[in-house]
Amino acid sequence: MRLSFKFKPKLSHKQLVIINELAWHCSKLYNTVNYQIKNNKDVKAVYTELETRYKNNWHNDYLHSHNRQQALKQLAQDWKSFFNSLKDYKKNPQKYKGQPGSPNFKHMNSNPCEIIFTNLAIRIKDNKLLLSLSKKIQSKYNVKVTKAFNL
């Protein structure tokens, strides 16, 4: 049983534009929430709190719920790892080159946010990978519920 796999499909121009837009919105959502965590003491890096607090962010309209949830889970995990590293740094500073830094922002050119599709958001039919897209993306690019990528 495959739990996950990565592949590099041959994409058409339209498919590439859709994927780039999804990556852009995913990165912007990650950065927006990350900025709020860094600069607002009221915002805690807990997934459930992030999910309810940022459910109405406009980037969510362009992301399928699975994509949004996975981006926020990744951000919560990044902050959890930072706090664990900081705690370990205080006990064993010799293991580190310097004090651990908080999670960085995502940059579209060098480090875009990964677009994670769960098993509920993908299907394989006739040797094509079908990805679920949000209604906003579907209407913007005039595509059906799912977009097919040849395997």
Side-chain angles (χ1 to χ4, degrees):
M1 179 168 117
R2 280 190 185 171
L3 298 179
S4 68
F5 72 97
K6 288 186 179 183
F7 74 103
K8 295 198 177 207
K10 295 177 183 173
L11 301 174
S12 69
H13 177 70
K14 187 175 186 178
Q15 291 170 333
L16 189 59
V17 168
I18 291 171
I19 294 294
N20 284 336
E21 181 156 356
L22 290 175
W24 188 82
H25 285 291
C26 197
S27 298
K28 292 300 180 180
L29 177 65
Y30 183 99
N31 290 343
T32 301
V33 177
N34 194 16
Y35 179 83
Q36 292 297 322
I37 293 170
K38 286 184 177 190
N39 296 311
N40 188 347
K41 302 299 180 207
D42 296 335
V43 180
K44 304 291 183 231
V46 178
Y47 166 71
T48 53
E49 184 178 317
L50 297 177
E51 174 67 22
T52 55
R53 184 174 273 227
Y54 295 99
K55 197 167 196 144
N56 295 324
N57 187 293
W58 73 275
H59 293 291
N60 292 341
D61 295 340
Y62 292 90
L63 297 171
H64 195 270
S65 60
H66 299 281
N67 305 131
R68 178 189 77 240
Q69 290 166 356
Q70 293 300 318
L72 294 177
K73 284 180 183 179
Q74 183 61 50
L75 180 60
Q77 181 59 46
D78 292 348
W79 276 96
K80 183 178 179 182
S81 297
F82 163 67
F83 289 127
N84 288 339
S85 297
L86 199 58
K87 192 184 303 182
D88 188 45
Y89 173 75
K90 290 178 182 176
K91 291 179 185 175
N92 307 308
Q94 69 279 4
K95 286 175 44 177
Y96 297 86
K97 292 180 180 179
Q99 182 172 345
S102 62
N104 290 327
F105 295 107
K106 300 290 184 180
H107 300 283
M108 280 305 296
N109 296 333
S110 60
N111 184 24
C113 191
E114 288 182 341
I115 310 163
I116 300 173
F117 288 90
T118 64
N119 62 339
L120 301 173
I122 62 171
R123 290 174 297 293
I124 297 177
K125 183 178 180 182
D126 298 329
N127 209 24
K128 292 185 181 211
L129 180 66
L130 304 174
L131 303 176
S132 296
L133 300 174
S134 69
K135 291 179 183 179
K136 197 89 156 186
I137 292 286
Q138 291 174 33
S139 64
K140 182 175 182 177
Y141 292 101
N142 196 24
V143 293
K144 294 183 181 179
V145 175
T146 55
K147 189 64 182 164
F149 296 93
N150 290 324
L151 290 178

